Amino acid sequence: MRTAINAYSGEMFGFAQRALGDRGLAEDAVQETFIRAWRATRRFDPALGSQRTWLFAILRNVVIDATRQRTAVPTAAKADGAIQDQIDELLRSWVIEEALRRLTTEHRQAVIDVAYRGRPAADLAGELGVPESTIRTRLFYGLKALRLALDEMGWNDA
Amino acid sequence: MPENCEHWHRVIAERALRDLDPDTEAGVATHLASCPESRALAEEFGTTAAALDHARPDSRAFAADPPEEAYTPSPQHLYNEITSRLAALRARRRRRSWAIGVGAAAVLIGVFVMVFTTTRSTPVAAPGVAFTNDVVDGVVALEERSWGTEIHLRAEGFTPGQQYNVWLERADGSRVGAGTFTGVTHPPVVVTLSSALAESHAVAIGISQPDGTLVMRKSLT
């Protein structure tokens, strides 16, 4: 468990804090996640997914539970579904951000400038004083690395 | 791999992330039509680029130099907190097990006491049969049990210190012992005795002295 805490607790805390908006609740959620994981260790099957994916699946449920508890409105089924959708989308955005963060600075910056700011590779090349082919190569390897990171984090394209 | 395929792979990467100008797009399309490997790459890049749509506009990843998430609780702190919570959970579980054990024992004891007292000290629930003669005067009640008959006797007139035998009598006149008691002057003798003979088989109850002298015999039929 100590290894898992060392490896994933920071990332898990970050997501929990983003989702719950409160450091205390976030820390509590991370603790609760590891406790549930410890109690369900026998159900973990590495063949089905990585330990990180498993822990985040538990954390997702913990965060949903915590959000429900904080919701003043009675939790009708519809509200429950909305909370789940909201947390799932938040988790997906968190995974993307984390995957982007794993890229090298050059690759990440190239991907972000082109994908989110719509800047042509030629413009970036002029700005950075490098050949256009260099920017496209960064995009190529950036997307390759991004796919690898997403796969490692159990990303589902569906 | 068609000539200059590597060049087109780089262009395909940019194409996955933004719209290209019409001339470059036409060049890519022409190349894709003739290169299965590039088509597979375009598909892979397409799905990866689609995933980027899930990022939030305020993502920290968009910063030029994305900072590590400010993180106060250290892994060691978390580990300590988690292990102490687990220890508390285990202690609570142990206490619960103890409580369940103690509760179960209490219930068992309660049931035992209830059964025991019901069996042993129920006041004469069956209608009593009064008897009287020149010597003794009293009332006796019989209760059928799975093991025979329980006899509740309350009587007076016995010789103090004298031993008396109590028995039930079958229809054929044979007797089955039900125990003994010692006579007292006062207060009345109140005893609960047991006989292996079923109440339904008993036609009379009697008391006699050890030498066979009959003190009383009362028909139950």
Side-chain angles (χ1 to χ4, degrees):
Chain A
M1 183 164 71
R2 188 189 287 272
T3 308
I5 290 173
N6 287 338
Y8 306 118
S9 61
E11 197 188 334
M12 291 165 68
F13 178 81
F15 167 66
Q17 190 179 4
R18 170 80 64 84
L20 297 169
D22 182 281
R23 298 184 69 80
L25 288 176
E27 185 176 341
D28 195 56
V30 174
Q31 290 179 19
E32 177 64 21
T33 299
F34 279 106
I35 287 170
R36 289 190 192 182
W38 181 82
R39 296 164 82 174
T41 301
R42 277 180 289 183
R43 289 207 295 272
F44 171 59
D45 183 357
L48 297 178
S50 68
Q51 189 179 46
R52 181 195 177 283
T53 303
W54 183 58
L55 287 170
F56 266 84
I58 297 172
L59 178 60
R60 168 192 175 272
N61 292 336
V62 171
V63 167
I64 287 173
D65 290 346
T67 306
R68 279 181 188 143
Q69 286 173 6
R70 296 173 67 195
T71 306
V73 180
T75 52
K78 190 175 177 181
D80 266 7
I83 288 172
Q84 287 186 26
D85 290 346
Q86 177 193 337
I87 299 300
D88 284 342
E89 191 50 38
L90 204 56
L91 183 56
R92 290 174 79 79
S93 78
W94 182 264
V95 171
I96 293 293
E97 291 175 26
E98 186 60 26
L100 282 169
R101 210 172 58 79
R102 292 186 184 187
L103 304 186
T104 66
T105 303
E106 288 177 339
H107 290 167
R108 179 176 56 250
Q109 208 52 54
V111 169
I112 287 171
D113 280 339
V114 174
Y116 294 111
R117 296 177 183 134
R119 299 188 64 187
D123 282 9
L124 289 176
E127 181 180 303
L128 298 173
V130 297
E132 184 179 358
S133 61
T134 299
I135 299 299
R136 283 180 171 159
T137 298
R138 289 177 184 175
L139 294 176
F140 177 88
Y141 286 111
L143 284 176
K144 284 285 187 185
L146 188 62
R147 168 50 53 186
L148 192 63
L150 289 174
D151 288 346
E152 281 177 357
M153 290 190 285
W155 177 266
N156 184 0
D157 283 313
Chain B
M1 180 184 292
E3 192 181 351
N4 211 14
C5 201
E6 192 173 334
H7 161 75
W8 287 114
H9 285 179
R10 271 55 178 171
V11 177
I12 288 167
E14 183 179 2
R15 177 177 176 265
L17 298 173
R18 63 175 285 273
D19 293 334
L20 301 176
D21 64 81
D23 288 345
T24 310
E25 178 62 37
V28 172
T30 303
H31 176 75
L32 288 177
S34 63
C35 180
E37 185 185 341
S38 295
R39 281 200 298 275
L41 186 69
E43 190 175 340
E44 176 194 322
F45 282 167
T47 54
T48 304
L52 290 171
D53 292 341
H54 292 280
R56 286 160 42 130
D58 59 347
S59 166
R60 66 199 157 99
F62 297 165
D65 187 15
E68 286 287 331
E69 195 73 20
Y71 183 55
T72 303
S74 70
Q76 183 59 47
H77 165 77
L78 266 179
Y79 180 80
N80 293 341
E81 289 292 320
I82 291 165
T83 49
S84 65
R85 281 178 65 173
L86 283 172
L89 279 174
R90 286 194 203 104
R92 196 184 312 158
R93 199 176 302 161
R94 273 198 301 273
R95 281 197 299 274
R96 195 184 308 148
S97 299
W98 269 101
I100 290 171
V102 169
V107 168
L108 279 175
I109 290 170
V111 169
F112 176 77
V113 167
M114 192 173 70
V115 169
F116 182 78
T117 53
T118 301
T119 307
R120 299 290 300 173
S121 61
T122 300
V124 180
V129 177
F131 58 88
T132 182
N133 58 25
D134 295 338
V135 182
V136 295
D137 184 12
V139 61
V140 64
L142 275 59
E143 288 192 68
E144 183 119 69
R145 300 292 187 204
S146 57
W147 40 260
T149 303
E150 190 167 274
I151 300 159
H152 303 275
L153 173 68
R154 185 182 195 281
E156 55 189 341
F158 301 104
T159 303
Q162 171 67 54
Q163 181 182 321
Y164 294 92
N165 298 340
V166 181
W167 39 264
L168 294 178
E169 188 179 287
R170 292 193 180 95
D172 62 4
S174 61
R175 295 173 178 177
V176 178
T180 63
F181 66 89
T182 300
V184 294
T185 309
H186 190 80
V189 171
V190 178
V191 292
T192 299
L193 303 161
S194 303
S195 172
L197 186 65
E199 182 197 7
S200 54
H201 294 163
V203 298
I205 184 170
I207 301 172
S208 56
Q209 293 179 3
D211 63 3
T213 304
L214 185 65
V215 177
M216 79 88 177
R217 180 184 178 281
K218 177 67 179 179
S219 172
L220 299 172
T221 55

